[in-house]
Amino acid sequence: MTSKMEYLKKRYKEMSPAQLELIIVQLDRELEHDPDSVKDELCIAMDALEEKKKKAHGKRRHRPCLPSNFEHRLDVGEEF
């Protein structure tokens, strides 16, 4: 793998999902004109975005939840 591809992997891992989506749109446009030049970069960007979405989904799933009557318990406890 070339150093450019390694650099792009590192760079795309640090970007937000919104930034990656914009890059993918731009690469799709460039792909129409010159398919060979950006095909690998497009794959790297799409993989990075997919990984970000998987991580975000996992964080939402394992987030601790408060009981529904949590605020009520605080109010009752403050009276004593």
Side-chain angles (χ1 to χ4, degrees), residues 1 4 6-9 14 18 20 31 33 36 43-44 51 54 58 62 64-66 69 80:
M1 184 173 291
K4 178 184 176 187
E6 291 174 13
Y7 168 75
L8 288 173
K9 280 186 177 185
E14 296 173 357
L20 287 170
L31 193 63
H33 301 290
D36 295 331
C43 289
I44 292 171
E51 188 68 28
K54 283 181 186 178
H62 300 295
C65 298
L66 296 174
N69 60 352
F80 296 107

Side-chain angles (χ1 to χ4, degrees), residues 68-79:
S68 60
N69 60 352
F70 182 74
E71 289 182 19
H72 174 71
R73 287 184 185 172
L74 283 179
D75 294 340
V76 171
E78 290 173 355
E79 293 178 7

Side-chain angles (χ1 to χ4, degrees), residues 8-80:
L8 288 173
K9 280 186 177 185
K10 289 179 185 178
R11 189 174 128 209
Y12 289 162
K13 282 183 182 182
E14 296 173 357
M15 291 183 174
S16 71
Q19 290 173 320
L20 287 170
E21 288 173 0
L22 290 173
I23 287 174
I24 290 171
V25 169
Q26 180 63 34
L27 289 173
D28 276 337
R29 289 181 186 153
E30 291 179 24
L31 193 63
E32 295 172 2
H33 301 290
D34 190 13
D36 295 331
S37 67
V38 294
K39 189 164 64 170
D40 292 335
E41 187 175 351
L42 180 62
C43 289
I44 292 171
M46 291 178 74
D47 289 342
L49 180 61
E50 186 177 317
E51 188 68 28
K52 292 267 184 192
K53 287 183 177 182
K54 283 181 186 178
K55 285 182 182 180
H57 181 71
K59 286 181 183 177
R60 275 185 262 147
R61 179 181 291 166
H62 300 295
R63 191 171 50 192
C65 298
L66 296 174
S68 60
N69 60 352
F70 182 74
E71 289 182 19
H72 174 71
R73 287 184 185 172
L74 283 179
D75 294 340
V76 171
E78 290 173 355
E79 293 178 7
F80 296 107

